[in-house]
Amino acid sequence: MTAAAKPRTEILISGFGGQGVIRMGQILGLAAIKQGHRVTMLKSHGTETRGGYVRAQLVISPDYVDSPVVENADVFVAFSAPAYKKFFDHCRGKILYDPEMVEDVRAEGPERHVAVPATQLAKERFNNVLFANMIMLGALTRLSGLDYEAMKKAMLEVIPRFHEQNLAALDVGYTLPALIPA
Amino acid sequence: MSTLAPAVSEQLVAPWVEWARRYTRGRRLLEAGTYALTEGAIAAGCRVFAGYPITPATDIAEYMSKRLPQVGGYYVQCEDELAGMHACAGASLGGLKAMTATSGPGYTLMHDAYGWSITNEIPLVVVDAMRVGPISGITGAPGQGEFYIARYASHGGNFETIVLSPSSVQEAFWLTIDAFNLAERFRTPVTILTDQVISDMWEDLFIPEDYDALDFVVPRKNNLMMPFYPVGSADLDVPPNVIGHGTGVCVSAYTHTEEGYDIEEMEAQWAQTYRLINKIRHHRDQLTRYETVGVEDADVIAVAYGANARTVKTGVLEARRRGVRAGFVRLITLWPFPDELFERDVPYVVCELNYDGQLVREVMRSAPDGKKVRFMGKSAELHTVAEVAAGLEGVARTGRIPELPYIWTEVR
Amino acid sequence: MNRLAKKYLRPSQIPTKACHGCGIGMIENWLLQAIDEMGLKQDDVIFGTGIGCVGRQTFATWGGDNFGATHGRALAVATGLKLAQPDKKYLIVVGDGDAASIGTSHLIHAARRNLGVTVICEDNMGYESTGGQFSPTTPAGYVTNSSPYGMVEPGFDPCDVVKAAGATFVAETTATQWHQTVKIVKKALANDGFSFVHVRFPCNENFGAYALGTRDTLKNLEWIYEHTQGRKADGTDADFTWETGIKHDASNSRPEFSRLMRDMNARVKADMKAKQK
Amino acid sequence: MALFKAEKKAPKGPAGRWDVVIGEDMCKACGFCLSVCPVDVFAYRKAPNKIGWFPMYTAHEENCIGCMLCYQICPDFCIDVSVKSTAVATV
């Protein structure tokens, strides 16, 4: 390891417990590792297993990551209104939010906000909100220009069941028309 | 995030620097610190885990319950931590390498067994995943409150302890093997003092593919003869006596003779104490592990260990970017305390996760001028990069740490 | 030195540190008889003790491997040791403090697991090595150094506790029942599981002096005898009677702890092999 | 009924065929052997042993009937009772 400058990417994902926040971070992290990056992921949550806030802080870097704390996120994924409010100031880059969960969006930086209707799409396409996190991950992959194939591979490794639906959900997010540059 | 003009010297002094260079075939995973601690133990030949679940060390117990039967080992979920560490000591006496894992509230319960294991020179490893206190505190927040408890891990005095602290998931893996090696070599319990952040954090982790091929793992050797140890000798290579081979081993809680018989004579007490203390003090060169950044030319040096060292190191680099010649010392071996790392007569800024100030007192003692040692204590949360940089800048320019919210600077 | 002491004990540790007339040596002598009659050798038995009179006096007298744990933790140590050395016989000789007070949780859980050890609880009805305080087995009303107005707390019977916890062999004797104790210890050692033998014996220096009002070794052993028989020498009933004999015998009725662990490991290994194929 | 018998009986039956050996240096003079013995075998020494007790010794070995009570009750592993080698030859 060296103390030389190193580009680091900070990603912050937060929402309620049970929304698959940690799973999303895990897949993202593993995909980065498969491509030879170094990754840290801090996860923090309230004491309750379901319902409280859950946060995953990922740092991806080509070299050893010193501080694992996300202080200025390049991407912030907000799955809930409290999470959006709590961590808005920790982000200086893009904010992906689920408009069904986060209704009041701050006025500043409209160009940074990207609405991904993950919950709504999950309900429509799969009749199950549990797939919202994969739709969001697909969208994040597109938006951040990450390797889609690596993401799919990592997803299959991390998630034990329902591979076909999850792949389909990932695809829904990745091919979201609003995100594809004209 | 930062661009450094001149190259800064960096040094990591630890045996796993070489290990990592030699063993490159394996798997790369995204795993938690608890997983790394477990796999490290399995790789080191640990075959017994006895303990009691406690957050944030619980996952170690869970991983162990899955892994140990696969390698012919035993997972025992005990009635309490007292039983846990005693059962580990028993298993180690019977010839199996053993480990237990706990957090602060359980660690204090283990002191009884810790002292027994020290006195009887039983090798084993104890993981303490520190969380913020006092007492039960917050289960999901890091703390560094057991720095001194780990040193004085039992009553009665007259012993030295070995305490190591990892600051990444990868390091937790190698360091656990190292802890087992030191336990075997020095015939004593070794504490791995980690914290909630490192144990819960997920990070890229390299695991070598074949544990049996790791030639640096110190194997368990059995001393199949009396006496228990050669009296007055510092011969460390006397391997542990093992119960169950009919050698007439005596393992006693009391001060004992070289045969292990309890005795109430001062000469025996002195001989035992001499051995227990000096087998560690006289071999500090084999025990000190640390990391430094730019200490040679530094005007101010930040000191930290564990998870906290991660943000402190980034803070040091940030201070450098702002034109402050800052250095960084990360302790990996906490005890025996590496006094020699604090030889330069410059201000030291000690960042630790408590408000009472523990590590800072040792730095004050070993630095040439204790009055120049500054304290930045924070509770339940890692220092931010901004805080550390501001602190170092303040000390370098004005000799004082600026007022920062939630940072305590007073040491009484 | 008698023939069994010569065969099994360490000459350097005899005489023990026990006070004169202490029952600890008597009981140990009977343990030796049981071991000898079962044809066990020094190497076959691991002798574990705790702290207090029983721990201190019996520790290191056994010629084979010994351990003296911290107070109450002998069974916790034995739990780990049994996994590492499953084929040995374990004699865990502890006092009433170790078994019935400070180490009760370990006693209960060792019984629950059916850990393959034989616990001999040598009970002198108080904490005598610290000068004679009451313990959970001190009879109600008796005066000790910490119950100067009589023991007000109710006591409990450790035999009931371990039986409820799942011990597979439970028995009680006293220091005046030598043949019975030898027979019972033999049965206890033959049980591949958790055996508990509760043996009451006299302390002259403390319990005798304060609770019974005499340091006369004969009178104190006579007191034990009276409460074993339920009748005093003059033919009147004693104030209470200990129920002695085998209280529960389910020897070898359920698998021993370390056996269960090894069986599970074999199962896991077999499953792993099957999956690899 | 008492454990100890104050009055000793005259030996009957196979008396005189036994060796009664006492390790006097390890005896703590509790008196159990003397009291439990149904016949008259034991007596106290008039001089202390090296651990400071006035130990028991075999005063009348010829009275021993081989009941082994002393062997069973001795708390300090002192006493051994065995068939006399000469007696073995005559049996």
Side-chain angles (χ1 to χ4, degrees), chain A residues 3 5 38-39 41 43 65-66, chain B residues 2 10 202-204 310 314:
Chain A
R38 309 293 298 262
V39 174
M41 180 172 81
K43 48 178 186 140
V65 179
D66 287 334
Chain B
S2 57
E10 276 197 282
W202 292 55
E203 205 167 1
D204 58 287
R310 302 284 289 267
T314 311

Side-chain angles (χ1 to χ4, degrees), chain B residues 103-328:
Chain B
S103 184
Y107 193 55
T108 57
L109 293 181
M110 288 180 177
H111 295 348
D112 193 2
Y114 211 105
W116 195 69
S117 307
I118 289 173
T119 310
N120 292 308
E121 309 200 39
I122 302 171
L124 53 93
V125 172
V126 185
V127 176
D128 175 15
M130 293 184 288
R131 64 194 209 196
V132 65
I135 304 296
S136 294
I138 301 171
T139 57
Q144 290 181 334
E146 278 110 82
F147 175 76
Y148 275 122
I149 292 182
R151 165 63 185 86
Y152 300 104
S154 188
H155 53 269
N158 292 322
F159 58 83
E160 283 274 350
T161 47
I162 302 175
V163 181
L164 309 175
S165 179
S167 86
S168 73
V169 171
Q170 182 65 59
E171 193 167 85
F173 175 79
W174 295 122
L175 181 141
T176 305
I177 302 176
D178 191 33
F180 271 93
N181 283 354
L182 293 178
E184 293 298 325
R185 178 97 177 84
F186 290 92
R187 296 177 64 189
T188 190
V190 173
T191 294
I192 298 176
L193 204 57
T194 179
D195 50 58
Q196 182 269 337
V197 171
I198 298 296
S199 59
D200 275 0
M201 181 165 73
W202 292 55
E203 205 167 1
D204 58 287
L205 170 66
F206 167 78
I207 300 258
E209 65 177 0
D210 182 9
Y211 292 163
D212 294 334
L214 303 177
D215 62 358
F216 51 81
V217 172
V218 174
R220 170 58 66 90
K221 286 180 287 180
N222 300 329
N223 182 20
L224 299 182
M225 52 199 278
M226 285 280 277
F228 193 72
Y229 57 78
V231 73
S233 90
D235 183 5
L236 301 173
D237 290 325
V238 181
N241 281 76
V242 169
I243 283 187
H245 292 270
T247 49
V249 176
C250 292
V251 183
S252 156
Y254 293 102
T255 294
H256 45 244
T257 64
E258 63 267 38
E259 292 94 358
Y261 301 147
D262 56 323
I263 190 169
E264 294 195 339
E265 278 172 21
M266 294 315 126
E267 283 74 14
Q269 168 65 24
W270 295 329
Q272 183 184 323
T273 301
Y274 180 91
R275 179 178 166 80
L276 290 181
I277 290 180
N278 285 341
K279 74 173 178 182
I280 291 173
R281 281 198 190 158
H282 288 177
H283 296 89
R284 294 240 315 253
D285 54 327
Q286 297 175 30
L287 286 161
T288 305
R289 289 110 176 77
Y290 60 91
E291 181 190 352
T292 58
V293 177
V295 288
E296 296 81 3
D297 67 337
D299 295 331
V300 55
I301 295 175
V303 186
Y305 70 95
N308 200 27
R310 302 284 289 267
T311 52
V312 172
K313 186 178 176 185
T314 311
V316 166
L317 300 179
E318 172 65 17
R320 285 229 167 212
R321 202 182 57 81
R322 294 185 196 172
V324 176
R325 269 196 302 197
F328 171 65

Side-chain angles (χ1 to χ4, degrees), chain A residues 23 27 133-134 154-163 166:
Chain A
R23 268 278 195 267
I27 296 166
N133 65 336
M134 284 305 123
M155 193 271 280
L156 294 177
E157 212 167 293
V158 169
I159 295 189
R161 288 184 301 161
F162 306 121
H163 281 167
N166 277 308

Side-chain angles (χ1 to χ4, degrees), chain C residues 2 4 9 23 29 31 44 50 57 65-66 79 94 100 105 107 134 137 142 156 160-161 187-188 218 221 239 243 256:
Chain C
N2 75 35
L4 291 182
L9 301 187
N29 193 19
L31 296 181
D44 299 334
Q57 264 69 269
D65 293 343
N66 283 273
T79 305
V94 293
S105 63
L107 187 79
F134 68 82
T137 58
Y142 279 72
F156 77 164
D160 292 347
V161 174
K187 280 198 173 158
L218 303 178
L221 192 61
D239 49 348
E243 283 173 38
E256 193 269 325

